[in-house]
Amino acid sequence: MEKLDTRIRNHDREIEKMCNFHHQGFVDAINELLKVRADAEKLKVQVTDTNRRFQDAGKEVIAKTEETIRCRVQQRNIATVVDKLQLCLPALEMYSKLKEQMSGKRYYSALKTMEQLEHVYLPKVSQYRFCQIMAENLPKLREEIKEISMSGLKDFLESIRKHSDKIGETAMKQAQQQKTFHAALHRQTNVAYKKPVYIINGHSTEGEDGVTPKSQMLEDEDTEEEVNLLVSIGDKEVFENYYRKQRRKQARLVLQPQANMHETVEGYRKYFSQIVGFFVVEDHILHVTQGLVTGSYTTELWTMAQSKIIAALRTHSSYCTDPDLVLELKNLIVVFADTLQGYGFPVNRLFDLLYEVRDKYNETLLKKWAGLFRDIFEADNYSPIPVANEDEYMAVISKFPFQDPEGDKITFPKKLPMSQSVPQIYMQVKEFIYASLKFSESLHRSSTEIDDLLRKSTNLLLTRTLSSCLQNLIKKPHIGLTELVQIIINTTHLEQACKYLEDFITNITNILPETVHTTRLYGLSTFKDARHSAEEEIYTKLNQKIDEFVQLADYDWTMSEPDGRASGYLMDLINFLRSTFQVFTNLPGKVAQTACMSACKHISTSLTQMLLDSELKQISMGAIQQFNLDVIQCELFASSDPVPGFQEDTLQLAFIDLRQLLDLFMIWDWSTYLADYGQPNSKYLRVNPNTALILLEKMKDMNKKNNIFAQFRKNDRDRQKLIDTVVKQLRSLVNGMSQHS
């Protein structure tokens, strides 16, 4: 404490010294302050005045400043609002667009807008109440669109059902036009033909100028929007199943042809148009939608449809009888197949079907030409063609390749050996070849195939149709011997013309007949067969005519003496044969000779049968003598050489059996007959014991009837005994023959 007190005292002395040191300065300062006091008062007054005046002047500034502050706050608020509005505006604009699209019934676009609202715009402004209201409205709108879409789907299905045929018709026209264009281009520029590619809604193909034009059948935007709407709306599987189910029903209706489809071209065209329209729509839906149909679905549908189409065409084409209609059907099938192939559908089975249609076409052609041939044969006069001058001759030659160097030397007027039917038949065969060729057009077949088809179809015409017509003609009752002779001449000329038909086909196809595997025409055998049938018919009709004359025979089998001259019926028969064989001069020699020999043999057989007729019970010697006179006339006819070419006595051999039989009875040479029987040099070698027995028994019965008192005359008794003896010996020979046999 003492040290502290000491220290305090020391500090106090220092303080005192300090104060003493600064006291003067403090006094000076006080004095100065006192001096400036008055100035200070004055200054205070001035400052107060200045402050007052400054405050008065600052009031306006303060007001302006406060106003500026308020404006700055408003600007900041406005900027904030603008930012928020800019954030909300796209959502509002999209919602407004959605409303417009709904009002405009653009539902697919509305769905797209709705998706953008839900996933892009509304999440950014979800804190606002109006956004929540919009979000709550979207499911309602979607449900409304769903209901409208289902209704639209039904309307769409109904619309494409109604317009399928128009769509198909347009597609087929496009296909045909493009094919024609490429074919013309190929002819003009020799550019290789390529498969036409077709357009639908801008997908797939090049047009005629290489540009892909927009299809006029379906509008891309409307159709795509309408169909994609169904896929985008949600329940894709529901819409997909409904669409496919309804389209399958429509397919069944489209594939069901009308009962009378085969009657007109329009029936087939409508059927094909509907099917093409159906699958064009399916192809369009496949390419412009997302999954409503798939490639596997359309392939399956087409496979099913193709089987039904082929079955329907087979059935209905079988009813076709008009070759022009079958040809139109073929053209429609080609266009139909080309059109669908352009859309990627496999059509090989349709082209295979064309082979069957070709067979049907040939069948109808053959039936048509059978009628034409029949008409030609019915109208023919079966007389050589008269030509009065060179013009008429050339008119015939222009239709038929007739060559006759010997006939050319004869001056006009003259006659050509064939009748009018020959050039007409030849021309119709050429027309048939042209008609057959029409089927091969537009099938892209090689010349070799076409040549083969033409030759085969022509062979069918010749060997089946023309041959059948000739055979039927030959068998007709009104065709007489003169007509048959002319038919033989006609077939000879037609046979010679077959080589010209082969040349005709060669000129069409440029395939030489010598080419390997080339089919040859079988016309030669056809006309040979017809000629053979005509020859047989000549023999038959000639024999029938002989039978008619023989039936006129009216012998008195009980006459005691002959008339001394041949029977009238026989002389008429011989005169008929002479005039008939004169007609045969134009026939080949063998035919005329065969006919003549056949006629003589038939006369001989008929006369022999007349003697041996079971109904004839008794024959007198006078009747035998009369019968012998008739046979002599037959032998004279045979020896008169009615047909040139026979060797000496050849024709008379036809009557040798009858001659030996009659000689045996006329000279009553039984001892020689019985003694020489069985010897190779027997005088009566050709007399059958059974024949002689029958005739002798008829004479025996006649003698018994006429000679009641024969037992009273020795000669008659001896003759009767001789007859009885000969009869017994003949019976013995006959019995011996039967035992040996």
Side-chain angles (χ1 to χ4, degrees):
M1 290 300 291
E2 289 178 356
K3 286 184 180 181
L4 181 59
D5 290 338
T6 303
R7 187 157 183 93
I8 292 171
R9 285 192 298 276
N10 291 334
H11 279 296
D12 288 339
R13 282 194 296 276
E14 289 179 1
I15 291 171
E16 185 177 355
K17 287 181 181 178
M18 181 68 67
C19 289
N20 289 332
F21 178 75
H22 290 289
H23 178 68
Q24 187 61 42
F26 177 72
V27 173
D28 292 337
I30 291 298
N31 290 330
E32 287 181 3
L33 285 173
L34 289 174
K35 289 180 180 179
V36 296
R37 180 175 182 177
D39 294 331
E41 289 292 338
K42 190 185 295 185
L43 179 61
K44 179 180 177 181
V45 173
Q46 291 178 351
V47 169
T48 300
D49 184 55
T50 301
N51 179 57
R52 180 182 55 75
R53 287 189 285 108
F54 187 76
Q55 288 292 333
D56 291 340
K59 287 180 181 178
E60 187 177 353
V61 174
I62 290 172
K64 295 293 185 184
T65 301
E66 289 176 352
E67 185 178 351
T68 301
I69 292 172
R70 285 196 301 272
C71 288
R72 291 290 174 83
V73 171
Q74 287 177 352
Q75 284 181 343
R76 185 170 62 248
N77 291 341
I78 289 171
T80 302
V81 170
V82 168
D83 292 340
K84 298 299 181 182
L85 285 175
Q86 286 178 343
L87 190 62
C88 296
L89 191 59
L92 293 170
E93 288 176 346
M94 292 302 288
Y95 192 79
S96 175
K97 182 179 179 181
L98 173 62
K99 287 293 187 179
E100 291 177 1
Q101 290 168 341
M102 290 293 292
S103 300
K105 298 182 180 181
R106 294 159 53 200
Y107 300 112
Y108 178 67
S109 300
L111 279 177
K112 292 295 185 183
T113 303
M114 201 178 297
E115 288 179 2
Q116 291 180 335
L117 272 172
E118 287 180 322
H119 299 98
V120 179
Y121 296 102
L122 289 183
K124 294 179 180 180
V125 289
S126 58
Q127 68 273 25
Y128 301 109
R129 191 163 60 88
F130 75 88
C131 294
Q132 296 173 0
I133 295 172
M134 285 192 295
E136 291 171 357
N137 284 337
L138 291 182
K140 297 177 182 178
L141 292 174
R142 182 174 282 107
E143 191 64 29
E144 180 183 350
I145 292 175
K146 182 178 179 180
E147 293 175 359
I148 294 171
S149 298
M150 181 57 75
S151 175
L153 175 60
K154 293 177 181 178
D155 293 342
F156 173 73
L157 289 170
E158 179 64 19
S159 176
I160 57 177
R161 184 191 68 79
K162 289 181 178 178
H163 297 94
S164 286
D165 55 342
K166 296 297 182 184
I167 295 171
E169 185 179 347
T170 304
M172 291 174 70
K173 283 182 180 178
Q174 284 186 351
Q176 201 165 12
Q177 290 170 357
Q178 199 157 30
K179 187 173 183 179
T180 303
F181 171 78
H182 282 289
L185 186 64
H186 172 64
R187 287 193 298 269
Q188 293 178 3
T189 63
N190 202 26
V191 175
Y193 176 80
K194 64 178 182 179
K195 277 284 181 190
V197 191
Y198 307 111
I199 349 150
I200 183 76
N201 306 316
H203 99 72
S204 117
T205 82
E206 293 184 352
E208 297 180 359
D209 54 359
V211 180
T212 303
K214 182 175 178 64
S215 171
Q216 299 176 356
M217 294 178 291
L218 297 170
E219 292 297 331
D220 265 356
E221 294 179 0
D222 293 343
T223 308
E224 181 177 355
E225 179 175 317
E226 188 169 307
V227 179
N228 281 336
L229 172 61
L230 310 176
V231 182
S232 304
I233 200 168
D235 301 327
K236 174 183 175 182
E237 188 174 349
V238 173
F239 286 103
E240 180 181 306
N241 292 337
Y242 180 80
Y243 175 83
R244 295 186 182 184
K245 180 181 178 181
Q246 294 301 315
R247 287 296 276 169
R248 286 184 184 277
K249 287 182 180 179
Q250 292 183 2
R252 284 193 291 271
L253 291 175
V254 165
L255 295 171
Q256 182 65 38
Q258 294 182 353
N260 62 344
M261 180 178 74
H262 59 276
E263 295 178 358
T264 61
V265 178
E266 288 305 317
Y268 285 110
R269 182 175 286 113
K270 183 176 181 181
Y271 179 66
F272 286 128
S273 296
Q274 289 177 341
I275 296 172
V276 170
F278 180 91
F279 283 99
V280 164
V281 171
E282 288 303 290
D283 181 74
H284 177 65
I285 299 299
L286 173 66
H287 286 85
V288 302
T289 63
Q290 302 172 357
L292 187 59
V293 297
T294 61
S296 59
Y297 161 78
T298 54
T299 300
E300 176 191 352
L301 194 60
W302 168 244
T303 302
M304 177 274 295
Q306 191 169 205
S307 299
K308 290 184 177 293
I309 293 166
I310 291 173
L313 291 177
R314 278 179 180 149
T315 301
H316 283 268
S317 64
S318 64
Y319 300 136
C320 291
T321 57
D322 182 5
D324 294 333
L325 180 57
V326 179
L327 185 62
E328 288 293 339
L329 172 60
K330 164 256 172 182
N331 293 332
L332 285 173
I333 291 176
V334 171
V335 176
F336 174 73
D338 283 347
T339 303
L340 288 176
Q341 191 174 31
Y343 288 98
F345 294 100
V347 293
N348 292 339
R349 292 178 62 192
L350 288 173
F351 283 110
D352 292 339
L353 176 66
L354 286 174
Y355 288 100
E356 299 178 32
V357 178
R358 181 197 65 200
D359 294 339
K360 180 63 182 177
Y361 179 67
N362 285 339
E363 181 183 337
T364 55
L365 278 183
L366 292 175
K367 288 182 179 178
K368 179 179 179 180
W369 257 256
L372 293 173
F373 290 152
R374 284 194 297 269
D375 293 342
I376 290 172
F377 290 141
E378 287 294 331
D380 196 7
N381 58 7
Y382 297 99
S383 300
I385 302 175
V387 285
N389 49 49
E390 183 73 20
D391 292 339
E392 291 183 6
Y393 179 76
M394 294 307 298
V396 176
I397 297 303
S398 64
K399 297 177 182 178
F400 181 76
F402 175 71
Q403 293 181 350
D404 184 14
E406 294 298 325
D408 291 343
K409 298 176 182 178
I410 302 175
T411 59
F412 294 104
K414 58 184 177 180
K415 291 184 178 181
L416 304 182
M418 66 278 190
S419 66
Q420 288 288 354
S421 63
V422 172
Q424 293 174 358
I425 291 293
Y426 183 80
M427 290 300 295
Q428 284 302 325
V429 173
K430 292 175 69 175
E431 288 298 322
F432 177 87
I433 294 171
Y434 278 128
S436 298
L437 180 64
K438 287 181 181 178
F439 194 90
S440 301
E441 293 175 354
S442 74
L443 291 184
H444 317 304
R445 298 286 172 84
S446 67
S447 297
T448 304
E449 288 179 300
I450 294 174
D451 182 85
D452 187 60
L453 290 174
L454 289 180
R455 291 177 184 272
K456 286 180 177 178
S457 59
T458 306
N459 277 333
L460 281 175
L461 178 72
L462 296 176
T463 59
R464 194 171 83 181
T465 305
L466 183 54
S467 176
S468 176
C469 289
L470 283 169
Q471 296 293 343
N472 293 335
L473 173 68
I474 291 167
K475 299 296 182 183
K476 285 184 178 294
H478 71 275
I479 296 297
L481 293 171
T482 305
E483 288 82 1
L484 288 170
V485 170
Q486 188 62 55
I487 288 172
I488 291 175
I489 296 170
N490 288 350
T491 53
T492 302
H493 288 284
L494 286 171
E495 179 183 340
Q496 295 169 354
C498 282
K499 63 178 181 179
Y500 297 101
L501 290 176
E502 290 213 2
D503 295 341
F504 179 69
I505 295 175
T506 299
N507 291 334
I508 292 175
T509 61
N510 293 322
I511 301 297
L512 297 177
E514 297 77 17
T515 307
V516 181
H517 306 307
T518 299
T519 305
R520 303 305 298 246
L521 293 184
Y522 303 141
L524 299 179
S525 62
T526 296
F527 298 121
K528 285 180 180 178
D529 292 343
R531 201 156 50 246
H532 178 71
S533 297
E535 292 167 5
E536 292 295 329
E537 193 66 17
I538 284 177
Y539 308 150
T540 301
K541 285 187 179 294
L542 196 57
N543 292 342
Q544 288 174 349
K545 199 68 179 176
I546 292 172
D547 291 340
E548 292 176 5
F549 280 102
V550 171
Q551 287 174 3
L552 298 175
D554 186 20
Y555 287 103
D556 180 5
W557 299 108
T558 62
M559 65 171 52
S560 57
E561 296 292 336
D563 292 341
R565 62 180 182 275
S567 301
Y569 85 91
L570 190 74
M571 297 308 297
D572 291 341
L573 172 58
I574 291 174
N575 292 331
F576 164 75
L577 291 176
R578 290 187 188 280
S579 62
T580 299
F581 290 141
Q582 287 178 356
V583 177
F584 286 7
T585 54
N586 291 327
L587 285 175
K590 183 180 178 181
V591 177
Q593 292 168 15
T594 304
C596 186
M597 177 60 76
S598 173
C600 290
K601 286 182 177 180
H602 190 71
I603 293 172
S604 177
T605 302
S606 299
L607 292 175
T608 303
Q609 290 175 348
M610 192 183 301
L611 288 174
L612 303 178
D613 188 0
S614 59
E615 295 183 359
L616 179 60
K617 304 298 183 183
Q618 300 171 348
I619 300 178
S620 66
M621 180 54 71
I624 293 291
Q625 293 171 347
Q626 179 64 42
F627 200 83
N628 183 60
L629 291 175
D630 291 346
V631 174
I632 291 173
Q633 289 298 322
C634 293
E635 291 172 326
L636 290 173
F637 169 73
S639 63
S640 67
D641 198 19
V643 173
F646 282 110
Q647 294 182 359
E648 186 176 359
D649 297 336
T650 299
L651 197 56
Q652 290 171 279
L653 292 176
F655 299 98
I656 189 65
D657 293 5
L658 188 56
R659 169 48 53 207
Q660 290 185 9
L661 178 63
L662 290 174
D663 285 349
L664 178 61
F665 278 84
M666 292 290 293
I667 63 178
W668 207 251
D669 195 8
W670 292 106
S671 58
T672 304
Y673 175 74
L674 293 172
D676 294 345
Y677 179 76
Q679 300 299 320
N681 57 351
S682 172
K683 181 180 178 181
Y684 302 104
L685 181 65
R686 305 182 73 88
V687 177
N688 187 290
N690 189 47
T691 303
L693 176 61
I694 293 172
L695 189 56
L696 189 59
E697 286 181 333
K698 292 176 187 267
M699 291 187 68
K700 175 184 174 182
D701 293 340
M702 186 67 190
N703 287 335
K704 286 182 179 180
K705 179 180 179 182
N706 293 335
N707 299 307
I708 301 175
F709 304 104
Q711 65 271 23
F712 302 111
R713 294 193 296 270
K714 186 177 182 300
N715 291 336
D716 292 335
R717 287 199 307 271
D718 293 341
R719 184 180 180 86
Q720 189 65 38
K721 287 180 181 180
L722 177 61
I723 290 175
D724 291 340
T725 302
V726 173
V727 167
K728 289 179 182 179
Q729 290 177 331
L730 288 174
R731 283 177 179 167
S732 177
L733 287 176
V734 171
N735 291 334
M737 290 172 59
S738 61
Q739 289 175 1
H740 286 302
S741 61

